[in-house]
């Protein structure tokens, strides 16, 4: 085990030096595939932008008791300088799954296991792309983790319901007609429409809800610095979030419906675009209990979190198709935050992940 862990750590360190943005992860994907081919005899299947490896049940004469998926993402974050960096720890996610592949090859297991290496999590596209494997291979349950700063190193963090919120960027555009600033009534200015929509959204958030809902103003564009001209085109950019998929969609629909009503009232053209949509990552409660049992068998500390993470994760696409769960792993109580230039995945948790995955794939039933 120690040799495998050290190989996984070395791989992680190398991946950290070649960060690539979503859908551009050519060197990263090649490094991971080469690592598996050089260190295992597992079947590795290239799917273009992504790939997976499979381990069949040890008893080839009978059907596997369970068909399990484990997913890791491998894209990087775009930093404030415009350059990619592994500021979210995806290098550790993929390196630990690659390391587990080495351990998995040595194991006698009653189950069939698919190791899914996914691109483009940061844009919310990779999960939707790779989740096709669920139906194709009949995967019955799937798991993934995210390293999370602010908690004890290696602590397993569980949520019985939503692990990460649904979200989407929403770009709303309103187009009217210009006029002289002295005669604003002769034109159609979107300013009131945008103002009323912001106020409506604020009131909508006050309605009772089962889980957290949120709409954040990201930007407003309106008019120009030509003080003699009344504005004729404006845009509002929001990020809409929700703890539960159903409530998230309801909030989104209400905002769009109100935008259309206001555009009609003020005789404006209206269009919108969703940017980087993510579904809610809604865990299966039974799968969460199973992870807890496996963590305890592996001798790992477990903590149940009180509320969903407000950030989003495209693992929700998998959970729309089969049962499973995402869990967190503590990255240290005093450490930089995710998506900041000083953050780096802690190699100290690599062994804990491999031990937990070993218990997950070796169990005969959930």
């Amino acid at each position: 085990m120690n040799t495998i862990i050290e190989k996984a750590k070395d791989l992680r360190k190398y991946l950290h030096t070649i960060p690539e943005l979503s859908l551009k992860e050519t060197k990263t994907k090649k490094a991971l595939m080469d690592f598996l081919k050089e260190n295992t005899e597992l079947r590795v299947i290239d799917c273009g932008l992504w790939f997976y490896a499979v381990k069949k049940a040890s008893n080839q004469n009978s059907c596997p008791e369970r068909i399990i998926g484990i997913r890791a993402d491998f894209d990087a974050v775009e930093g404030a300088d415009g350059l990619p960096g592994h500021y979210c720890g995806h290098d550790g996610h993929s390196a630990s799954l690659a390391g587990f592949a080495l351990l998995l090859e040595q194991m006698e297991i009653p189950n069939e296991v698919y190791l899914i290496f996914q691109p483009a999590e940061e844009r919310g596209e990779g999960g939707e792309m790779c989740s096709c494997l669920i139906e194709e291979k009949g995967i019955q349950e799937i798991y993934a983790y995210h390293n999370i700063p602010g908690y004890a190193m290696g602590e397993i963090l569980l949520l019985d319901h939503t692990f990460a919120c649904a979200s989407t960027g929403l770009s709303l555009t309103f187009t009217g007609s210009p006029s002289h600033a002295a005669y604003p009534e002769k034109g159609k200015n979107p300013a009131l429409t945008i103002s009323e929509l912001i106020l409506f959204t604020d009131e909508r958030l006050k309605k009772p809800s089962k889980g957290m809902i949120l709409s954040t103003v990201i930007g407003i564009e309106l008019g120009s610095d030509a003080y003699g001209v009344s504005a004729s085109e404006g845009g509002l950019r929001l990020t809409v979030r929700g703890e539960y998929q159903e409530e998230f969609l309801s909030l989104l629909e209400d905002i769009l419906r109100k935008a259309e009503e206001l555009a009609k009232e003020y005789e404006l053209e209206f269009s919108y675009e969703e940017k980087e949509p993510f579904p809610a990552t809604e865990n299966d409660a039974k799968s969460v209990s199973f992870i807890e049992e496996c963590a305890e068998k592996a001798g790992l500390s477990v903590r149940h979190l009180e509320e969903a993470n407000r950030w989003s994760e495209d693992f929700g696409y998998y959970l729309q198709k089969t049962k499973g769960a995402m869990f967190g792993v503590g990255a240290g109580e005093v450490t930089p935050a995710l998506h900041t230039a000083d953050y780096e995945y802690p190699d100290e948790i690599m062994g804990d992940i491999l031990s937990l995955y070993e218990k997950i794939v070796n169990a005969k039933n959930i």
Side-chain angles (χ1 to χ4, degrees), residues 6 52 61 79 122 181 196 216 224 227 304 331 337 342:
E6 290 307 311
Y52 67 91
N61 297 320
E122 293 294 341
E196 288 185 30
T216 305
S224 68
Y227 291 92
H304 284 266
D342 293 329

Side-chain angles (χ1 to χ4, degrees), residues 9 35-36 48 74 77 79 88 146 169 190 230 255 261 263 268 323 361:
K9 288 181 179 179
F35 180 86
L36 294 188
F74 55 68
V77 177
C88 203
H146 205 296
S230 178
I255 292 172
E261 290 174 357
L268 303 171
K323 68 182 179 182
V361 304

Side-chain angles (χ1 to χ4, degrees), residues 275-297:
K275 304 275 191 175
E276 300 180 0
F278 290 80
T281 299
E282 296 186 20
N283 284 340
D284 169 63
K286 192 173 181 182
S287 298
V288 173
S289 296
F290 171 66
I291 292 171
E292 182 171 18
E293 292 172 7
C294 291
E296 290 172 350
K297 289 178 182 177

Side-chain angles (χ1 to χ4, degrees), residues 282-326:
E282 296 186 20
N283 284 340
D284 169 63
K286 192 173 181 182
S287 298
V288 173
S289 296
F290 171 66
I291 292 171
E292 182 171 18
E293 292 172 7
C294 291
E296 290 172 350
K297 289 178 182 177
L300 303 176
S301 176
V302 172
R303 178 196 292 252
H304 284 266
L305 302 181
E306 295 182 359
E307 58 183 32
N309 296 293
R310 289 192 180 186
W311 41 263
S312 299
E313 235 290 348
D314 69 1
F315 189 68
Y317 284 113
Y318 299 91
L319 296 181
Q320 289 179 343
K321 297 182 177 182
T322 193
K323 68 182 179 182
M326 170 167 272

Side-chain angles (χ1 to χ4, degrees), residues 91-137:
D91 51 345
H93 296 170
S94 52
S96 58
L97 189 60
F100 179 63
L102 276 62
L103 180 61
L104 183 63
E105 186 177 48
Q106 301 173 4
M107 296 170 60
E108 296 287 322
I109 58 172
N111 306 305
E112 187 168 300
V113 181
Y114 290 87
L115 308 180
I116 303 168
F117 292 83
Q118 179 205 302
E121 186 280 327
E122 293 294 341
R123 286 173 43 166
E125 297 181 38
E128 185 174 21
M129 179 192 310
C130 300
S131 64
C132 65
L133 199 66
I134 299 290
E135 295 119 334
E136 181 183 333
K137 300 301 180 183

Side-chain angles (χ1 to χ4, degrees), residues 223-240:
S224 68
D225 60 357
Y227 291 92
V229 180
S230 178
S232 61
E233 186 169 336
L236 173 63
R237 288 179 286 117
L238 304 171
T239 298
V240 182

